[in-house]
């Protein structure tokens, strides 16, 4: 085969039409596909469902996580609907590779039809049918009656506006591209961010031959050591109940920001994980703090989070609020998963705005279930 022609055998073929097109084949997309299957398991009127995923293999963003990334919840509290995550050997919290294996097994176990690698370029309204869509991809188009967005946030790292970021002559990388301490061996590194990623990367680095400055805007707030994903999920669930009952909801954020997973706890207890105040600016060779002190640096790791990867919707003229589309909760659901603008468009797995703890393995199940029910209601296939 000459270099110029694509190997047509390798191209994923796409259906011309589908009742449901799920964009994104990570945990969120799989959870919606599972619930659509489950909801229609006893009906003849099963909607056609296709999942389009930009990656070449299962596992979503977990495939790109750094090797030592540890789940903040034990396996039993990191499960998708219908399948308990097996405990890893040694019983500790699972790592990213364990999650990839679990999601790969899940996809095969439920025979979820994922076409990959397929990148959705744009979702546009179908001019030939009301409330329907034309999904444009790098391998052709799919006409769909409904679209579920489950594209996650990994593909949209957030870089904060820090003075001097453009002048710094050392390396800069976001946690999106961090792959472990070996790349930064012997460097003087600034780790920016007071959440789980910042703590885990700083703990990862202090254990190797680098000088680490971990800086946070506020003093880091560790969750109590006996708190892990279980408690986070239960707190998020209670918040949903309280909101639904009109009571004041105490969200997960009230508990703290950092789960003290074993590597973080060990570094903290050794006194190696000490946060410093956020820098005032980067300089060509380092950083300067508000008190005027400076430090030379070779690299900066931005553990500053992510934003929803929704560029494929930008042509739709949706209402946006604080960087994300406006959404509403379907009747009878506490999860605001449906677009406020379009009846046949949903959002799953992006975080509290579309369902408390929905951006976690255990938290995505309920919003996914309610999305499937709302889709069935819209398509008229509800059993
Ligand atoms: P993703 O896993 O990002 O999957 C989205 C899929 O959509 C990807 O395969 C992507 O290629 C695809 N996609 C995106 N755009 C397009 C497009 N235009 N066309 C086609 N395909 C597209 N959760 C926990 O439960 N426990 C934890 O301990 C935990 N730790 C975390 C640590 C870090 C550093 C991060 C960033 C997150 C963590 N999370 C954790 C949160 C969450 O579980 C993950 O972010 C998870 O990856 C979200 O799954 P998802 O399916 O929503 O998105």
């Amino acid at each position: 085969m000459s270099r110029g022609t694509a190997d047509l055998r390798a191209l994923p073929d796409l259906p011309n039409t589908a009742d449901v097109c799920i964009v994104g084949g990570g945990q969120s997309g799989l959870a919606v596909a599972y619930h659509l299957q489950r909801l229609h398991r006893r009906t003849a009127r099963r909607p056609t469902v296709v999942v389009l995923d930009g990656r070449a293999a299962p596992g979503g963003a977990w495939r790109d996580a750094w090797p030592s990334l540890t789940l903040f919840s034990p396996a039993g509290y990191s499960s998708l609907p219908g399948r308990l995550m097996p405990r890893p050997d040694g019983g500790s919290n699972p790592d990213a590779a364990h999650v990839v294996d679990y999601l790969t097994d899940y996809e095969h176990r439920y025979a979820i039809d994922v076409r990959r690698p397929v990148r959705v370029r744009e979702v546009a309204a179908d001019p030939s049918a009301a409330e329907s869509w034309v999904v444009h991809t790098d391998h052709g188009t799919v006409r769909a009656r409904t679209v579920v967005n489950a594209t996650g946030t990994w593909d949209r790292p957030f870089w904060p506006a820090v003075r001097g970021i453009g002048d710094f002559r050392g390396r800069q990388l976001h946690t999106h591209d961090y792959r472990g301490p070996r790349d930064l061996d012997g460097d003087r590194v600034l780790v920016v961010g007071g959440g789980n990623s910042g703590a885990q990367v700083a703990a990862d680095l202090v254990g190797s031959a680098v000088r680490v400055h971990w800086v946070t805007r506020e003093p880091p707030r560790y969750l109590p050591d006996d708190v892990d994903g279980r408690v986070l999920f239960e707190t998020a669930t209670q918040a949903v109940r309280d909101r639904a009952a009109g009571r004041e909801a105490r969200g997960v954020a009230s508990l703290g920001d950092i789960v003290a997973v074993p590597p973080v706890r060990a570094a903290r207890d050794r006194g190696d994980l000490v946060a410093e105040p956020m820098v005032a600016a980067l300089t060509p060779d380092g950083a300067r703090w508000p008190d005027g002190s400076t430090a030379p640096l070779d690299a900066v790791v931005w553990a500053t989070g992510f934003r929803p990867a929704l560029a494929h919707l930008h042509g739709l003229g949706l209402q946006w609020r604080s960087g994300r589309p406006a959404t509403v909760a379907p009747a009878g659901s506490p999860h605001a998963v449906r677009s406020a603008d379009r009846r046949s468009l949903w959002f799953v797995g992006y975080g509290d705005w579309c369902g408390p703890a929905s951006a976690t393995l255990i938290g995505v199940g309920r919003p996914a279930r309610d999305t499937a029910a709302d889709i069935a209601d819209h398509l008229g296939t509800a059993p």
Side-chain angles (χ1 to χ4, degrees), residues 23-29 52-55 59-62 66 69-73 78 118-121 150-155 197 306 309 312 348-349 359-362:
V23 184
Q27 64 202 45
S28 300
L52 306 179
D53 189 63
R55 279 181 168 76
W62 291 106
W66 57 93
L69 174 65
T70 311
L71 284 193
F72 44 62
S73 20
S78 299
V118 175
R119 176 65 45 181
V120 170
R121 299 283 181 226
T151 51
T153 59
W154 188 260
D155 290 350
S197 300
F306 299 83
H312 57 288
V348 178
T360 64
L361 285 148
I362 190 163

mmCIF file of all heavy atoms in Angstrom, residues 23-29 52-55 59-62 66 69-73 78 118-121 150-155 197 306 309 312 348-349 359-362, ligand 1:
data_model
loop_
_atom_site.group_PDB
_atom_site.id
_atom_site.type_symbol
_atom_site.label_atom_id
_atom_site.label_comp_id
_atom_site.label_asym_id
_atom_site.label_seq_id
_atom_site.Cartn_x
_atom_site.Cartn_y
_atom_site.Cartn_z
ATOM 1 N N VAL A 23 -21.456 10.635 21.431
ATOM 2 C CA VAL A 23 -20.113 11.120 21.074
ATOM 3 C C VAL A 23 -19.217 10.948 22.291
ATOM 4 O O VAL A 23 -19.396 11.626 23.307
ATOM 5 C CB VAL A 23 -20.158 12.600 20.650
ATOM 6 C CG1 VAL A 23 -18.771 13.064 20.177
ATOM 7 C CG2 VAL A 23 -21.194 12.822 19.563
ATOM 8 N N GLY A 24 -18.277 10.009 22.183
ATOM 9 C CA GLY A 24 -17.382 9.735 23.323
ATOM 10 C C GLY A 24 -17.622 8.333 23.857
ATOM 11 O O GLY A 24 -18.739 8.020 24.284
ATOM 12 N N GLY A 25 -16.549 7.524 23.828
ATOM 13 C CA GLY A 25 -16.685 6.127 24.267
ATOM 14 C C GLY A 25 -15.917 5.832 25.539
ATOM 15 O O GLY A 25 -15.465 4.712 25.772
ATOM 16 N N GLY A 26 -15.766 6.850 26.387
ATOM 17 C CA GLY A 26 -15.178 6.617 27.717
ATOM 18 C C GLY A 26 -16.252 6.098 28.661
ATOM 19 O O GLY A 26 -17.330 5.676 28.224
ATOM 20 N N GLN A 27 -15.980 6.167 29.962
ATOM 21 C CA GLN A 27 -16.928 5.609 30.929
ATOM 22 C C GLN A 27 -18.323 6.203 30.816
ATOM 23 O O GLN A 27 -19.323 5.522 30.981
ATOM 24 C CB GLN A 27 -16.414 5.792 32.347
ATOM 25 C CG GLN A 27 -16.289 7.231 32.775
ATOM 26 C CD GLN A 27 -15.331 7.444 33.898
ATOM 27 O OE1 GLN A 27 -14.239 6.899 33.898
ATOM 28 N NE2 GLN A 27 -15.731 8.267 34.859
ATOM 29 N N SER A 28 -18.398 7.500 30.515
ATOM 30 C CA SER A 28 -19.722 8.149 30.469
ATOM 31 C C SER A 28 -20.533 7.644 29.288
ATOM 32 O O SER A 28 -21.716 7.301 29.434
ATOM 33 C CB SER A 28 -19.550 9.667 30.391
ATOM 34 O OG SER A 28 -18.840 10.129 31.529
ATOM 35 N N GLY A 29 -19.900 7.579 28.127
ATOM 36 C CA GLY A 29 -20.617 7.084 26.951
ATOM 37 C C GLY A 29 -21.034 5.630 27.119
ATOM 38 O O GLY A 29 -22.154 5.241 26.760
ATOM 39 N N LEU A 52 -19.396 6.910 18.986
ATOM 40 C CA LEU A 52 -18.245 7.341 18.170
ATOM 41 C C LEU A 52 -17.155 7.817 19.122
ATOM 42 O O LEU A 52 -17.397 8.684 19.974
ATOM 43 C CB LEU A 52 -18.653 8.492 17.234
ATOM 44 C CG LEU A 52 -19.869 8.223 16.327
ATOM 45 C CD1 LEU A 52 -20.161 9.456 15.468
ATOM 46 C CD2 LEU A 52 -19.643 6.990 15.460
ATOM 47 N N ASP A 53 -15.963 7.230 18.986
ATOM 48 C CA ASP A 53 -14.905 7.594 19.934
ATOM 49 C C ASP A 53 -13.612 7.936 19.197
ATOM 50 O O ASP A 53 -13.171 7.192 18.317
ATOM 51 C CB ASP A 53 -14.655 6.440 20.923
ATOM 52 C CG ASP A 53 -13.722 6.871 22.038
ATOM 53 O OD1 ASP A 53 -14.085 7.781 22.796
ATOM 54 O OD2 ASP A 53 -12.598 6.355 22.109
ATOM 55 N N GLY A 54 -12.997 9.035 19.636
ATOM 56 C CA GLY A 54 -11.810 9.539 18.942
ATOM 57 C C GLY A 54 -10.552 8.739 19.205
ATOM 58 O O GLY A 54 -9.550 8.903 18.514
ATOM 59 N N ARG A 55 -10.572 7.887 20.221
ATOM 60 C CA ARG A 55 -9.354 7.123 20.529
ATOM 61 C C ARG A 55 -9.360 5.784 19.800
ATOM 62 O O ARG A 55 -10.409 5.273 19.450
ATOM 63 C CB ARG A 55 -9.238 6.900 22.029
ATOM 64 C CG ARG A 55 -8.666 8.110 22.762
ATOM 65 C CD ARG A 55 -8.564 7.821 24.240
ATOM 66 N NE ARG A 55 -7.767 8.816 24.943
ATOM 67 C CZ ARG A 55 -8.200 10.030 25.238
ATOM 68 N NH1 ARG A 55 -9.416 10.378 24.884
ATOM 69 N NH2 ARG A 55 -7.434 10.898 25.869
ATOM 70 N N GLY A 59 -11.181 2.811 26.869
ATOM 71 C CA GLY A 59 -10.604 3.308 28.120
ATOM 72 C C GLY A 59 -10.704 4.797 28.295
ATOM 73 O O GLY A 59 -10.363 5.344 29.340
ATOM 74 N N GLY A 60 -11.117 5.509 27.245
ATOM 75 C CA GLY A 60 -11.255 6.963 27.382
ATOM 76 C C GLY A 60 -9.928 7.587 27.809
ATOM 77 O O GLY A 60 -8.846 7.105 27.472
ATOM 78 N N ALA A 61 -10.056 8.655 28.611
ATOM 79 C CA ALA A 61 -8.847 9.413 28.999
ATOM 80 C C ALA A 61 -7.942 8.624 29.914
ATOM 81 O O ALA A 61 -6.775 8.969 30.089
ATOM 82 C CB ALA A 61 -9.266 10.710 29.674
ATOM 83 N N TRP A 62 -8.490 7.552 30.510
ATOM 84 C CA TRP A 62 -7.641 6.766 31.402
ATOM 85 C C TRP A 62 -6.417 6.252 30.657
ATOM 86 O O TRP A 62 -5.393 5.972 31.247
ATOM 87 C CB TRP A 62 -8.433 5.616 32.015
ATOM 88 C CG TRP A 62 -9.461 6.093 32.961
ATOM 89 C CD1 TRP A 62 -10.813 6.134 32.755
ATOM 90 C CD2 TRP A 62 -9.258 6.642 34.259
ATOM 91 N NE1 TRP A 62 -11.456 6.674 33.829
ATOM 92 C CE2 TRP A 62 -10.519 6.995 34.783
ATOM 93 C CE3 TRP A 62 -8.132 6.875 35.041
ATOM 94 C CZ2 TRP A 62 -10.690 7.563 36.040
ATOM 95 C CZ3 TRP A 62 -8.303 7.434 36.312
ATOM 96 C CH2 TRP A 62 -9.562 7.769 36.795
ATOM 97 N N TRP A 66 -1.032 9.438 33.853
ATOM 98 C CA TRP A 66 0.348 9.052 34.185
ATOM 99 C C TRP A 66 0.337 7.728 34.967
ATOM 100 O O TRP A 66 -0.638 7.425 35.674
ATOM 101 C CB TRP A 66 1.059 10.154 34.962
ATOM 102 C CG TRP A 66 0.426 10.603 36.243
ATOM 103 C CD1 TRP A 66 0.681 10.133 37.497
ATOM 104 C CD2 TRP A 66 -0.569 11.621 36.394
ATOM 105 N NE1 TRP A 66 -0.098 10.786 38.420
ATOM 106 C CE2 TRP A 66 -0.868 11.708 37.773
ATOM 107 C CE3 TRP A 66 -1.241 12.477 35.516
ATOM 108 C CZ2 TRP A 66 -1.800 12.605 38.292
ATOM 109 C CZ3 TRP A 66 -2.170 13.367 36.028
ATOM 110 C CH2 TRP A 66 -2.445 13.432 37.396
ATOM 111 N N LEU A 69 -0.901 7.304 38.560
ATOM 112 C CA LEU A 69 -2.195 7.897 38.972
ATOM 113 C C LEU A 69 -3.028 6.832 39.678
ATOM 114 O O LEU A 69 -3.236 5.740 39.169
ATOM 115 C CB LEU A 69 -2.943 8.417 37.749
ATOM 116 C CG LEU A 69 -4.372 8.918 38.019
ATOM 117 C CD1 LEU A 69 -4.357 10.124 38.920
ATOM 118 C CD2 LEU A 69 -5.097 9.257 36.727
ATOM 119 N N THR A 70 -3.466 7.169 40.885
ATOM 120 C CA THR A 70 -4.249 6.225 41.701
ATOM 121 C C THR A 70 -5.659 6.759 41.869
ATOM 122 O O THR A 70 -5.847 7.952 42.113
ATOM 123 C CB THR A 70 -3.605 6.105 43.108
ATOM 124 O OG1 THR A 70 -2.214 5.880 42.952
ATOM 125 C CG2 THR A 70 -4.225 4.997 43.916
ATOM 126 N N LEU A 71 -6.632 5.888 41.713
ATOM 127 C CA LEU A 71 -8.032 6.321 41.924
ATOM 128 C C LEU A 71 -8.193 6.778 43.368
ATOM 129 O O LEU A 71 -7.596 6.187 44.278
ATOM 130 C CB LEU A 71 -8.982 5.150 41.674
ATOM 131 C CG LEU A 71 -9.263 4.723 40.234
ATOM 132 C CD1 LEU A 71 -10.442 3.794 40.188
ATOM 133 C CD2 LEU A 71 -9.496 5.908 39.347
ATOM 134 N N PHE A 72 -9.048 7.802 43.549
ATOM 135 C CA PHE A 72 -9.259 8.227 44.936
ATOM 136 C C PHE A 72 -10.348 7.373 45.594
ATOM 137 O O PHE A 72 -10.787 7.648 46.698
ATOM 138 C CB PHE A 72 -9.618 9.710 45.061
ATOM 139 C CG PHE A 72 -10.624 10.263 44.092
ATOM 140 C CD1 PHE A 72 -11.930 9.775 44.054
ATOM 141 C CD2 PHE A 72 -10.273 11.268 43.202
ATOM 142 C CE1 PHE A 72 -12.855 10.286 43.179
ATOM 143 C CE2 PHE A 72 -11.196 11.786 42.300
ATOM 144 C CZ PHE A 72 -12.496 11.294 42.299
ATOM 145 N N SER A 73 -10.796 6.359 44.900
ATOM 146 C CA SER A 73 -11.803 5.502 45.530
ATOM 147 C C SER A 73 -11.419 4.035 45.303
ATOM 148 O O SER A 73 -10.842 3.704 44.275
ATOM 149 C CB SER A 73 -13.185 5.768 44.931
ATOM 150 O OG SER A 73 -13.063 6.381 43.674
ATOM 151 N N SER A 78 -15.822 2.390 42.468
ATOM 152 C CA SER A 78 -15.409 2.994 41.182
ATOM 153 C C SER A 78 -16.003 2.187 40.048
ATOM 154 O O SER A 78 -15.345 1.899 39.038
ATOM 155 C CB SER A 78 -13.876 2.995 41.078
ATOM 156 O OG SER A 78 -13.319 3.762 42.107
ATOM 157 N N VAL A 118 -12.869 7.479 15.614
ATOM 158 C CA VAL A 118 -13.704 8.397 14.828
ATOM 159 C C VAL A 118 -13.800 9.708 15.596
ATOM 160 O O VAL A 118 -14.267 9.745 16.732
ATOM 161 C CB VAL A 118 -15.126 7.821 14.617
ATOM 162 C CG1 VAL A 118 -16.015 8.848 13.915
ATOM 163 C CG2 VAL A 118 -15.084 6.510 13.849
ATOM 164 N N ARG A 119 -13.337 10.790 14.983
ATOM 165 C CA ARG A 119 -13.373 12.095 15.645
ATOM 166 C C ARG A 119 -14.575 12.894 15.128
ATOM 167 O O ARG A 119 -14.694 13.089 13.911
ATOM 168 C CB ARG A 119 -12.048 12.809 15.342
ATOM 169 C CG ARG A 119 -11.843 14.218 15.830
ATOM 170 C CD ARG A 119 -11.789 14.455 17.283
ATOM 171 N NE ARG A 119 -10.995 13.582 18.137
ATOM 172 C CZ ARG A 119 -10.957 13.788 19.445
ATOM 173 N NH1 ARG A 119 -11.646 14.782 19.981
ATOM 174 N NH2 ARG A 119 -10.286 13.013 20.237
ATOM 175 N N VAL A 120 -15.457 13.291 15.996
ATOM 176 C CA VAL A 120 -16.606 14.112 15.568
ATOM 177 C C VAL A 120 -16.134 15.553 15.426
ATOM 178 O O VAL A 120 -15.611 16.143 16.365
ATOM 179 C CB VAL A 120 -17.758 14.019 16.588
ATOM 180 C CG1 VAL A 120 -18.835 15.051 16.290
ATOM 181 C CG2 VAL A 120 -18.335 12.599 16.584
ATOM 182 N N ARG A 121 -16.292 16.079 14.247
ATOM 183 C CA ARG A 121 -15.837 17.447 13.972
ATOM 184 C C ARG A 121 -16.939 18.458 14.332
ATOM 185 O O ARG A 121 -16.690 19.528 14.838
ATOM 186 C CB ARG A 121 -15.481 17.603 12.485
ATOM 187 C CG ARG A 121 -14.364 16.695 12.025
ATOM 188 C CD ARG A 121 -13.032 17.214 12.474
ATOM 189 N NE ARG A 121 -11.918 16.358 12.014
ATOM 190 C CZ ARG A 121 -10.936 15.990 12.847
ATOM 191 N NH1 ARG A 121 -10.971 16.333 14.106
ATOM 192 N NH2 ARG A 121 -9.924 15.251 12.423
ATOM 193 N N ALA A 150 -20.595 12.877 25.459
ATOM 194 C CA ALA A 150 -19.883 12.229 26.588
ATOM 195 C C ALA A 150 -18.386 12.319 26.303
ATOM 196 O O ALA A 150 -17.650 11.324 26.347
ATOM 197 C CB ALA A 150 -20.332 10.779 26.725
ATOM 198 N N THR A 151 -17.952 13.509 25.944
ATOM 199 C CA THR A 151 -16.593 13.697 25.441
ATOM 200 C C THR A 151 -15.582 14.025 26.530
ATOM 201 O O THR A 151 -14.414 14.255 26.268
ATOM 202 C CB THR A 151 -16.589 14.839 24.413
ATOM 203 O OG1 THR A 151 -17.246 15.971 25.027
ATOM 204 C CG2 THR A 151 -17.353 14.447 23.154
ATOM 205 N N GLY A 152 -16.065 14.142 27.769
ATOM 206 C CA GLY A 152 -15.149 14.367 28.887
ATOM 207 C C GLY A 152 -14.466 15.713 28.832
ATOM 208 O O GLY A 152 -14.859 16.633 28.122
ATOM 209 N N THR A 153 -13.386 15.820 29.591
ATOM 210 C CA THR A 153 -12.688 17.113 29.699
ATOM 211 C C THR A 153 -11.201 16.985 29.350
ATOM 212 O O THR A 153 -10.523 17.982 29.138
ATOM 213 C CB THR A 153 -12.781 17.619 31.157
ATOM 214 O OG1 THR A 153 -12.177 16.629 32.023
ATOM 215 C CG2 THR A 153 -14.225 17.849 31.583
ATOM 216 N N TRP A 154 -10.726 15.742 29.266
ATOM 217 C CA TRP A 154 -9.283 15.508 29.127
ATOM 218 C C TRP A 154 -8.701 16.215 27.909
ATOM 219 O O TRP A 154 -7.585 16.709 27.902
ATOM 220 C CB TRP A 154 -9.006 14.004 29.057
ATOM 221 C CG TRP A 154 -7.559 13.644 29.094
ATOM 222 C CD1 TRP A 154 -6.785 13.325 28.020
ATOM 223 C CD2 TRP A 154 -6.701 13.576 30.244
ATOM 224 N NE1 TRP A 154 -5.486 13.063 28.425
ATOM 225 C CE2 TRP A 154 -5.420 13.201 29.788
ATOM 226 C CE3 TRP A 154 -6.891 13.798 31.619
ATOM 227 C CZ2 TRP A 154 -4.329 13.040 30.650
ATOM 228 C CZ3 TRP A 154 -5.818 13.651 32.487
ATOM 229 C CH2 TRP A 154 -4.558 13.271 31.996
ATOM 230 N N ASP A 155 -9.505 16.295 26.858
ATOM 231 C CA ASP A 155 -9.005 16.900 25.607
ATOM 232 C C ASP A 155 -8.994 18.413 25.677
ATOM 233 O O ASP A 155 -8.673 19.066 24.689
ATOM 234 C CB ASP A 155 -9.892 16.438 24.432
ATOM 235 C CG ASP A 155 -9.683 14.947 24.136
ATOM 236 O OD1 ASP A 155 -8.737 14.369 24.719
ATOM 237 O OD2 ASP A 155 -10.467 14.374 23.366
ATOM 238 N N SER A 197 -4.985 16.307 41.375
ATOM 239 C CA SER A 197 -3.872 16.139 40.413
ATOM 240 C C SER A 197 -2.604 16.808 40.927
ATOM 241 O O SER A 197 -1.519 16.231 40.884
ATOM 242 C CB SER A 197 -4.244 16.751 39.059
ATOM 243 O OG SER A 197 -5.365 16.132 38.537
ATOM 244 N N PHE A 306 -9.392 21.033 33.879
ATOM 245 C CA PHE A 306 -9.843 20.854 32.501
ATOM 246 C C PHE A 306 -11.184 21.550 32.302
ATOM 247 O O PHE A 306 -11.822 21.975 33.261
ATOM 248 C CB PHE A 306 -10.005 19.357 32.224
ATOM 249 C CG PHE A 306 -8.727 18.565 32.367
ATOM 250 C CD1 PHE A 306 -8.288 18.128 33.619
ATOM 251 C CD2 PHE A 306 -7.959 18.278 31.256
ATOM 252 C CE1 PHE A 306 -7.103 17.407 33.753
ATOM 253 C CE2 PHE A 306 -6.775 17.557 31.381
ATOM 254 C CZ PHE A 306 -6.345 17.121 32.635
ATOM 255 N N ALA A 309 -14.947 19.241 26.766
ATOM 256 C CA ALA A 309 -14.493 19.180 25.360
ATOM 257 C C ALA A 309 -15.718 19.175 24.455
ATOM 258 O O ALA A 309 -16.232 18.131 24.062
ATOM 259 C CB ALA A 309 -13.654 17.919 25.136
ATOM 260 N N HIS A 312 -17.228 20.632 19.203
ATOM 261 C CA HIS A 312 -18.024 20.146 18.058
ATOM 262 C C HIS A 312 -19.456 20.697 18.067
ATOM 263 O O HIS A 312 -20.216 20.502 17.127
ATOM 264 C CB HIS A 312 -18.045 18.614 18.065
ATOM 265 C CG HIS A 312 -18.585 18.013 19.324
ATOM 266 N ND1 HIS A 312 -17.890 18.028 20.523
ATOM 267 C CD2 HIS A 312 -19.772 17.430 19.595
ATOM 268 C CE1 HIS A 312 -18.615 17.460 21.460
ATOM 269 N NE2 HIS A 312 -19.762 17.095 20.940
ATOM 270 N N VAL A 348 -23.382 14.190 29.428
ATOM 271 C CA VAL A 348 -23.188 13.216 30.518
ATOM 272 C C VAL A 348 -21.703 13.139 30.900
ATOM 273 O O VAL A 348 -20.829 13.061 30.038
ATOM 274 C CB VAL A 348 -23.666 11.808 30.092
ATOM 275 C CG1 VAL A 348 -23.412 10.793 31.217
ATOM 276 C CG2 VAL A 348 -25.152 11.818 29.733
ATOM 277 N N GLY A 349 -21.473 13.265 32.236
ATOM 278 C CA GLY A 349 -20.128 12.953 32.734
ATOM 279 C C GLY A 349 -19.176 14.120 32.883
ATOM 280 O O GLY A 349 -17.970 13.928 33.086
ATOM 281 N N ALA A 359 -18.748 13.230 37.032
ATOM 282 C CA ALA A 359 -17.450 13.046 36.361
ATOM 283 C C ALA A 359 -16.629 11.987 37.081
ATOM 284 O O ALA A 359 -15.399 11.993 37.040
ATOM 285 C CB ALA A 359 -16.674 14.353 36.304
ATOM 286 N N THR A 360 -17.295 11.091 37.778
ATOM 287 C CA THR A 360 -16.562 9.992 38.421
ATOM 288 C C THR A 360 -17.180 8.676 37.961
ATOM 289 O O THR A 360 -18.337 8.637 37.500
ATOM 290 C CB THR A 360 -16.662 10.044 39.966
ATOM 291 O OG1 THR A 360 -18.033 9.844 40.340
ATOM 292 C CG2 THR A 360 -16.155 11.365 40.498
ATOM 293 N N LEU A 361 -16.415 7.608 38.122
ATOM 294 C CA LEU A 361 -16.886 6.292 37.684
ATOM 295 C C LEU A 361 -18.176 5.906 38.388
ATOM 296 O O LEU A 361 -19.131 5.444 37.789
ATOM 297 C CB LEU A 361 -15.795 5.245 37.961
ATOM 298 C CG LEU A 361 -14.616 5.278 37.003
ATOM 299 C CD1 LEU A 361 -13.340 4.850 37.705
ATOM 300 C CD2 LEU A 361 -14.881 4.393 35.800
ATOM 301 N N ILE A 362 -18.202 6.130 39.698
ATOM 302 C CA ILE A 362 -19.412 5.691 40.416
ATOM 303 C C ILE A 362 -20.531 6.710 40.258
ATOM 304 O O ILE A 362 -21.703 6.385 40.314
ATOM 305 C CB ILE A 362 -19.121 5.461 41.910
ATOM 306 C CG1 ILE A 362 -20.319 4.774 42.576
ATOM 307 C CG2 ILE A 362 -18.750 6.760 42.625
ATOM 308 C CD1 ILE A 362 -20.028 4.153 43.893
HETATM 309 P P1 LIG B 1 -13.140 10.567 28.991
HETATM 310 O O1 LIG B 1 -12.576 9.465 29.770
HETATM 311 O O2 LIG B 1 -12.288 11.748 28.672
HETATM 312 O O3 LIG B 1 -13.681 9.920 27.637
HETATM 313 C C1 LIG B 1 -14.198 10.752 26.621
HETATM 314 C C2 LIG B 1 -13.949 10.050 25.302
HETATM 315 O O4 LIG B 1 -14.511 10.873 24.288
HETATM 316 C C3 LIG B 1 -12.455 9.900 24.990
HETATM 317 O O5 LIG B 1 -12.189 8.600 24.522
HETATM 318 C C4 LIG B 1 -12.224 10.924 23.864
HETATM 319 O O6 LIG B 1 -11.272 10.476 22.925
HETATM 320 C C5 LIG B 1 -13.591 10.984 23.234
HETATM 321 N N1 LIG B 1 -13.857 12.260 22.550
HETATM 322 C C6 LIG B 1 -13.711 13.516 23.012
HETATM 323 N N2 LIG B 1 -14.065 14.402 22.055
HETATM 324 C C7 LIG B 1 -14.444 13.671 20.960
HETATM 325 C C8 LIG B 1 -14.903 13.991 19.665
HETATM 326 N N3 LIG B 1 -15.064 15.265 19.281
HETATM 327 N N4 LIG B 1 -15.191 12.975 18.800
HETATM 328 C C9 LIG B 1 -15.047 11.677 19.189
HETATM 329 N N5 LIG B 1 -14.608 11.308 20.411
HETATM 330 C C10 LIG B 1 -14.313 12.300 21.286
HETATM 331 N N6 LIG B 1 -12.823 9.698 38.628
HETATM 332 C C11 LIG B 1 -13.016 8.726 39.574
HETATM 333 O O7 LIG B 1 -14.100 8.153 39.634
HETATM 334 N N7 LIG B 1 -12.030 8.374 40.457
HETATM 335 C C12 LIG B 1 -10.799 8.959 40.392
HETATM 336 O O8 LIG B 1 -9.926 8.628 41.194
HETATM 337 C C13 LIG B 1 -10.542 9.966 39.399
HETATM 338 N N8 LIG B 1 -9.308 10.520 39.296
HETATM 339 C C14 LIG B 1 -9.089 11.426 38.278
HETATM 340 C C15 LIG B 1 -7.805 11.963 38.114
HETATM 341 C C16 LIG B 1 -7.561 12.865 37.078
HETATM 342 C C17 LIG B 1 -6.174 13.425 36.879
HETATM 343 C C18 LIG B 1 -8.608 13.259 36.216
HETATM 344 C C19 LIG B 1 -8.353 14.260 35.109
HETATM 345 C C20 LIG B 1 -9.879 12.752 36.388
HETATM 346 C C21 LIG B 1 -10.128 11.828 37.413
HETATM 347 N N9 LIG B 1 -11.398 11.264 37.580
HETATM 348 C C22 LIG B 1 -11.617 10.306 38.541
HETATM 349 C C23 LIG B 1 -12.551 11.779 36.819
HETATM 350 C C24 LIG B 1 -13.126 10.917 35.682
HETATM 351 O O9 LIG B 1 -13.369 9.609 36.076
HETATM 352 C C25 LIG B 1 -12.277 10.908 34.448
HETATM 353 O O10 LIG B 1 -12.061 12.219 34.030
HETATM 354 C C26 LIG B 1 -12.910 10.120 33.284
HETATM 355 O O11 LIG B 1 -11.947 10.033 32.282
HETATM 356 C C27 LIG B 1 -14.171 10.777 32.745
HETATM 357 O O12 LIG B 1 -14.753 9.860 31.825
HETATM 358 P P2 LIG B 1 -15.549 10.364 30.525
HETATM 359 O O13 LIG B 1 -16.010 9.164 29.786
HETATM 360 O O14 LIG B 1 -16.540 11.385 30.920
HETATM 361 O O15 LIG B 1 -14.445 11.147 29.677
#
